[in-house]
Amino acid sequence: MLIADRYERIVELVNERGSIRVSELSTLCQVTEETIRRDLDRLEKAGRLLRSHGGAVSLRDRQPETPYAEREIMNAAEKQQIAREAVMMIKPGDRILLDASTTAWYMASHLPDIPLTVLTNSIRVAAELSGKERIDVISTGGQLSRRSMSFVGHLAERSLELYHVDKMFFSCKGFHLERGASESNELQAMVKRKMISIAEQVILLCDSSKFGIQAFTHVATTSELDVVITDYSPATEQLKQLQELNIAITTV
Amino acid sequence: MLIADRYERIVELVNERGSIRVSELSTLCQVTEETIRRDLDRLEKAGRLLRSHGGAVSLRDRQPETPYAEREIMNAAEKQQIAREAVMMIKPGDRILLDASTTAWYMASHLPDIPLTVLTNSIRVAAELSGKERIDVISTGGQLSRRSMSFVGHLAERSLELYHVDKMFFSCKGFHLERGASESNELQAMVKRKMISIAEQVILLCDSSKFGIQAFTHVATTSELDVVITDYSPATEQLKQLQELNIAITTV
DNA sequence: ATCAAAACAAACAAAAATAAACAAAAAAAT
DNA sequence: ATTTTTTTGTTTATTTTTGTTTGTTTTGAT
């Protein structure tokens, strides 16, 4: 069994039963208790369960039910999956950039509390990360955009110019293989374009609802992307196209 | 049963019945009374119930409506009064600056939804104002300061340099007639000094707990202030001093 | 006020769980 | 093919939990 499969199995079991002992997981997964303990440590850091002496407890039922605003979010489960996958790309010490998308917000909530520098224009991301002490959070500032609870405009772009980051994680309204990533709002698009220009590696978080869509404003050509994380399974033809552009695609 | 499960069970039982005896919990959970006592100590420390001789009582229904963080705020009523008074100084079309103090946050919540431009380094102020559509909100951005949920540092100061405002409303740790306004945190102090430099009119929001106090870092000399709003009644001598410096004082 | 029962706190010891260190095996990177 | 990294199991401390014992404090009835 793959290690990731075991992780999934453990989380599943914990959520199913509410709580479970290390010893039980050990026999169920056919690995020693030590291994299970190490797994639980990681899963706890990843925010997928809670450790307790002797075993682990589920986060479900305990965490406040998803707030009103969140229930309306499209493809929430897929976005969460994409966010989890994206978090796995992050190493301690990384300087990363998160945009004001829902998926980036999910990423923030799944980020382990490790030394990191996070630059963002999202209030929600900043607020979420305020609870993680080891993470250095920097906000771009700028004009408040109510709809996305983020900062845009000249000041936001100007602030971004001061920095350089290892990885940028962002989402958009639409993603089209030939036409690239696009956004419905001009101000948001401008901020994202600036973000791309200061990032070493550009990672698009793209749930299936965005595939094949072209929105109002151009944000990035496909070749500007380095990685696409998605729950959509592209056709063989499309995969070849991405390969030719040297873009890694991760399907969750 | 896992320890965490027992904790949950205890809290649940306490909340269900309002109160419960150690002996009863002991038989229900199948552990000795000593263990229950230790559990109750921890749960009380975690703020999940209240200890009492012989057992524990629920916190439910006892909780005040103001959230936990707000309960700890010193002189909350006075600060609210000061905030209301300060809001009365604001005219439609004003460009104002709010710092990251509790009083400024209260001001934000009392601001009417009129055409205004508000510049701030506080996340709470920005979030509060996101509900008022006619107000243009601009955040400075910068490094996140967890304690005050605000932005500080070079970027915050740099952003401020781009603007000029009619009125700045701020608070501080201490205010001393001879020594001026002071702050305990150097980074916050630097931001506030910068704020003062870009404001036409400087208004200090000063509840009585701050009067006569001198904190670590200097923020502003008394003569830099234009208005002081306070719930403290200064002595005639002090009033004369303020008058000589041409500083208006409003006592709420 | 006095006293006995109940409740508690502190100290200790045994058991369970965990953490740390190390080496072997497996997987990934070069 | 090799080196490096990651994962895993094993062994050995260390910590946490729990029950027990002993002495102290609180409570409520006399």
Side-chain angles (χ1 to χ4, degrees), chain A residues 12-46:
Chain A
E12 213 172 297
L13 281 162
V14 167
N15 283 334
E16 208 171 281
R17 313 201 188 179
S19 75
I20 195 165
R21 303 193 73 82
V22 170
S23 52
E24 198 167 359
L25 285 170
S26 169
T27 57
L28 283 168
C29 296
Q30 300 275 23
V31 290
T32 57
E33 300 198 352
E34 279 315 308
T35 304
I36 293 294
R37 284 193 191 97
R38 280 185 279 238
D39 289 353
L40 294 182
D41 285 347
R42 288 183 194 181
L43 290 168
E44 180 174 44
K45 271 217 184 100

Side-chain angles (χ1 to χ4, degrees), chain B residues 116-160:
Chain B
L116 274 181
T117 302
V118 177
L119 180 56
T120 184
N121 71 325
S122 159
I123 289 190
R124 291 204 185 97
V125 168
E128 184 71 46
L129 295 180
S130 70
K132 307 189 179 180
E133 293 183 3
R134 283 198 267 276
I135 301 181
D136 243 345
V137 182
I138 299 167
S139 162
T140 61
Q143 181 135 23
L144 177 68
S145 160
R146 293 181 161 73
R147 163 171 284 252
S148 57
M149 286 302 271
S150 66
F151 302 122
V152 297
H154 171 250
L155 178 56
E157 292 168 42
R158 193 171 180 271
S159 302
L160 286 167

